[in-house]
Amino acid sequence: MDTANRKYLSSFFPKCLLSIAPGGATTEASCGYVIIIMALFWCTEALPLAVTALFPVVLFPMMGIMDSTATCSQYLKDTNMLFIGGILVAISVETWNLHKRIALRVLLIVGVKPALLLLGFMIVTAFLSMWISNTATTAMMIPIAQAVLDQLYTSEEKLNEHAVDLAEKSENHPNGSVAQLNVDVKVAPTNEPNGSVNQAFEMQEKQLTDAETIKQERSATLVEIDLKEENQMKEKQAQRLQKHLKLCKGMSLCVCYSASIGGIATLTGTTPNLVMKGQMDELFPDNNNVVNFASWFGFSFPTMIVLLALSWIWLQILFLGTKFKKNFGCGAKPEQKAKEKRAYNVISTEHKKLGPMTFAEICVLVLFILLVLLWFTRDPGFMPGWATISFNKGNKEYVTDATVAVFVALMMFLFPAELPTFKRQEPKEEGQKRKFRPPPALLDWKTVNEKMPWNIVILLGGGFALAKGSEESGLSLWLGEKLTPLQSIPPAAIALVLCLLVATFTECTSNVATTTLFLPILASMAKAIQLNPLYIMLPCTLSASLAFMLPVATPPNAIAFSYGHLKVVDMAKSGFLLNILGVLVITLAINSWGFYMFDLGTFPAWANSTGKP
């Protein structure tokens, strides 16, 4: 059965449900029906995710859940603008290859010893994934990793061919045994009469016969040795190829896993983080901006570091073995050092191709650093931020992280990509006047239109519309009442089980769809059992990024799988334990530093409020 038929059959059931709309049902039931329909379409991908996200625009007004104006206003909120601003800055970084320069520079610093090479690619990929798309990061880093590994393998093959040539030359050089025997055999003069036997001649014939026998035996021995050596060479070559393929698997996995892990460190690193931020602001409008760029980074960055370190150790054991001294290049042979030097030269050559930093790269780097500094200092929490002092008055938040992101993005359109020059542009035709050539901007709309993922903007809006509909219809309150018996279970156990559930669910469907479906339910449950909503919403959001087991789970996995080194069983075997480690690390984080950062031991006053006017 081909892909088209499978997709058609998978969409048959949700389409049937869509045609059977409930009549005369309560608003809670109607909203629940819409959520079930959208969940089925998202899981089966019978329609594009963004198209399914538009269902509330039609179904909510028709079922009396929300009017059209209120529904449509959910599709472009503050969180959407934060996403757009962050993506615009990321597009500028990609356009001027600043991310590639950073990646190659870090790899040159780390070196090319097996374990350090693995670590270097993981660090670079995770760092870049904090700021730009996980997919774009993986698509850039995988070819670089492939080029370095190919050079390592080619260098090893050349060294082995050189060793074989030297051995053959030494074997072909005469050792003098048979030749010396023939030289020493001389025809002695004889005075014997005719017809008598010449003893000297008889001795010469005998010695020649013995020499030919020795020569034949030696040739047969050499043939046997050559066959053994040839078989040994083939075995060694097969072992080297197997080792190279194993290293390729490990490198491909380390890049795609690091892209997913790095995305959890910042609020704009991956879309589920923004879904959670938007859901918090929608469901708990009086939350005092408890989730912002600085607070998210303070919690998630240490979590990312711990998970990245454990992933590195696990992938190293799985694909490089447990000989850690060898993995770190301790006591390396001269041949190994020569091979590493050639691989290092590959990275160095790629870095030199970029040339010196251009004016555009410097401008983008300065604006990027300015963006990060403004995000961190807007409202750091432990002291008044610049926005609190200058703009946010009367407990009203005028300036948010979205304001900062869009401001810096606008600067990208205003700043020139070249130093202003007074050189005139040459006329194309005779008789035309020469005109001044204005320098291009750092970012233009044509590039933005090609690279901007508008589908994610709509997908975010669909999630916010669902959350608002659940609140307005009373579905959230109904779910909360039904989940009240969970109050007897320890909060840590609830968080652990829910993280495992989300991590499993996100392997089969989009992480954005997963968080969009789960977070409103989790918020209702937290309110019902008088638990701080962040205690379960935050770890479950991070768990939605733990899609490590299947190629279809996330785009970085699909890109790594497309290079042909990996099989599904390789990804499943390495990703299973990594999923478990990820859930345990996130649970540890929320019960240690996260517990005190967000004061999770108390039920906050803002959690009692609703999004209703």
Side-chain angles (χ1 to χ4, degrees):
M1 185 182 293
D2 59 10
T3 306
N5 289 333
R6 283 199 301 269
K7 192 171 183 180
Y8 177 79
L9 289 175
S10 66
S11 67
F12 181 74
F13 181 61
K15 284 176 181 175
C16 288
L17 280 180
L18 187 59
S19 64
I20 311 173
T26 61
T27 53
E28 295 96 328
S30 299
C31 187
Y33 171 79
V34 174
I35 291 175
I36 292 171
I37 288 292
M38 293 179 67
L40 288 171
F41 272 96
W42 270 333
C43 292
T44 59
E45 295 190 29
L47 292 174
L49 298 181
V51 175
T52 303
L54 292 172
F55 279 16
V57 177
V58 178
L59 297 179
F60 277 6
M62 290 175 64
M63 295 181 176
I65 298 170
M66 287 171 62
D67 63 79
S68 181
T69 303
T71 304
C72 293
S73 65
Q74 304 300 315
Y75 282 81
L76 200 60
K77 299 175 75 68
D78 179 79
T79 307
N80 297 76
M81 297 310 298
L82 174 59
F83 173 77
I84 291 172
I87 290 293
L88 288 173
V89 175
I91 290 172
S92 299
V93 172
E94 291 179 44
T95 301
W96 296 104
N97 271 336
L98 183 61
H99 60 322
K100 188 173 184 180
R101 185 180 294 277
I102 294 171
L104 293 173
R105 171 54 63 183
V106 173
L107 289 174
L108 287 173
I109 294 171
V110 171
V112 293
K113 298 187 187 314
L116 295 178
L117 188 65
L118 208 67
L119 179 63
F121 272 97
M122 293 185 78
I123 290 173
V124 171
T125 307
F127 174 77
L128 293 176
S129 184
M130 290 165 57
W131 314 105
I132 66 176
S133 160
N134 299 353
T135 307
T137 304
T138 308
M140 182 198 72
M141 293 302 296
I142 287 280
I144 297 175
Q146 192 62 43
V148 172
L149 292 176
D150 287 345
Q151 185 59 42
L152 281 171
Y153 180 68
T154 305
S155 301
E156 190 172 2
E157 286 297 304
K158 286 181 179 179
L159 287 172
N160 285 305
E161 287 176 6
H162 182 63
V164 170
D165 290 341
L166 290 176
E168 287 179 353
K169 286 179 182 179
S170 63
E171 285 180 2
N172 291 333
H173 192 276
N175 57 14
S177 58
V178 178
Q180 185 66 37
L181 181 60
N182 290 333
V183 168
D184 290 341
V185 178
K186 296 179 180 178
V187 180
T190 179
N191 295 321
E192 295 293 330
N194 293 336
S196 62
V197 179
N198 190 331
Q199 293 180 357
F201 183 74
E202 202 173 64
M203 184 182 295
Q204 182 184 9
E205 281 187 341
K206 184 179 180 182
Q207 288 178 345
L208 285 172
T209 304
D210 293 342
E212 288 176 1
T213 304
I214 294 170
K215 190 174 181 180
Q216 289 175 358
E217 291 176 354
R218 178 180 174 80
S219 298
T221 305
L222 288 173
V223 169
E224 290 179 4
I225 293 172
D226 287 343
L227 288 173
K228 288 181 180 178
E229 288 181 351
E230 187 178 353
N231 292 332
Q232 289 176 355
M233 284 175 58
K234 287 181 179 179
E235 288 178 4
K236 288 180 179 179
Q237 189 174 10
Q239 289 174 359
R240 286 194 301 270
L241 181 60
Q242 189 68 22
K243 182 182 175 183
H244 171 69
L245 291 176
K246 204 171 184 180
L247 188 57
C248 286
K249 289 179 181 180
M251 193 64 73
S252 299
L253 288 174
C254 89
V255 170
C256 66
Y257 288 169
S258 301
S260 297
I261 294 170
I264 71 174
T266 59
L267 187 58
T268 57
T270 186
T271 314
N273 303 354
L274 291 170
V275 172
M276 191 259 179
K277 164 68 174 170
Q279 299 279 22
M280 280 291 297
D281 293 341
E282 184 65 43
L283 299 171
F284 308 106
D286 300 326
N287 64 61
N288 301 321
N289 195 33
V290 66
V291 176
N292 55 38
F293 191 90
S295 63
W296 185 283
F297 188 85
F299 169 73
S300 298
F301 183 73
T303 308
M304 184 268 286
I305 294 295
V306 175
L307 184 53
L308 196 69
L310 292 175
S311 305
W312 173 57
I313 294 170
W314 168 236
L315 290 175
Q316 189 182 163
I317 292 172
L318 201 61
F319 295 102
L320 296 180
T322 54
K323 296 179 180 179
F324 295 107
K325 286 187 177 180
K326 183 180 178 182
N327 295 341
F328 282 93
C330 298
K333 297 180 181 179
E335 295 84 0
Q336 181 68 20
K337 291 180 178 178
K339 182 176 68 172
E340 290 172 358
K341 187 176 180 180
R342 286 190 175 92
Y344 183 87
N345 290 337
V346 171
I347 302 175
S348 181
T349 303
E350 288 293 320
H351 186 264
K352 288 177 181 177
K353 285 180 183 178
L354 296 175
M357 284 191 74
T358 62
F359 178 76
E361 286 181 87
I362 294 171
C363 287
V364 171
L365 180 61
V366 170
L367 288 173
F368 175 74
I369 293 172
L370 176 65
L371 172 66
V372 176
L373 289 177
L374 289 175
W375 266 340
F376 274 114
T377 57
R378 184 187 68 84
D379 186 14
F382 58 88
M383 60 177 284
W386 58 265
T388 307
I389 296 171
S390 304
F391 301 101
N392 299 341
K393 305 293 184 181
N395 293 326
K396 191 170 183 181
E397 197 171 15
Y398 289 95
V399 174
T400 64
D401 289 332
T403 312
V404 177
V406 174
F407 168 72
V408 174
L410 288 175
M411 292 299 101
M412 296 289 184
F413 287 97
L414 296 174
F415 271 66
E418 299 172 3
L419 281 170
T421 177
F422 291 99
K423 292 181 180 179
R424 292 176 179 267
Q425 187 178 14
E426 293 298 328
K428 294 182 179 178
E429 297 179 4
E430 293 183 5
Q432 288 185 345
K433 293 182 179 180
R434 291 185 296 177
K435 299 178 181 179
F436 286 106
R437 182 177 61 86
L442 292 173
L443 193 60
D444 61 84
W445 189 251
K446 182 181 178 183
T447 306
V448 171
N449 206 29
E450 290 174 354
K451 295 187 176 182
M452 174 65 74
W454 298 110
N455 58 324
I456 301 298
V457 178
I458 298 174
L459 192 57
L460 284 171
F464 301 152
L466 277 183
K468 187 69 174 177
S470 299
E471 194 71 38
E472 291 290 332
S473 65
L475 179 63
S476 297
L477 183 62
W478 180 83
L479 282 173
E481 292 174 353
K482 299 300 178 185
L483 295 171
T484 305
L486 293 175
Q487 196 166 7
S488 59
I489 302 175
I494 294 175
L496 178 62
V497 172
L498 289 174
C499 285
L500 286 170
L501 177 63
V502 171
T504 304
F505 197 80
T506 197
E507 293 287 351
C508 308
T509 188
S510 161
N511 53 11
V512 183
T514 301
T515 47
T516 301
L517 291 171
F518 273 89
L519 289 183
I521 300 172
L522 298 180
S524 301
M525 184 188 74
K527 289 173 66 176
I529 64 177
Q530 298 289 294
L531 181 65
N532 192 318
L534 285 174
Y535 194 87
I536 50 177
M537 292 178 72
L538 190 53
C540 286
T541 301
L542 298 187
S543 298
S545 295
L546 303 180
F548 301 135
M549 289 182 62
L550 297 174
V552 296
T554 184
N557 290 12
I559 292 171
F561 190 78
S562 67
Y563 274 76
H565 301 301
L566 292 167
K567 297 178 181 177
V568 175
V569 67
D570 297 321
M571 193 169 281
K573 184 172 64 174
S574 57
F576 177 75
L577 182 62
L578 208 53
N579 271 2
I580 302 297
L581 289 174
V583 170
L584 293 177
V585 168
I586 291 169
T587 307
L588 171 67
I590 201 66
N591 287 290
S592 52
W593 61 85
F595 194 86
Y596 298 101
M597 276 185 64
F598 298 106
D599 194 19
L600 299 179
T602 60
F603 184 68
W606 52 259
N608 282 317
S609 63
T610 65
K612 291 183 179 183

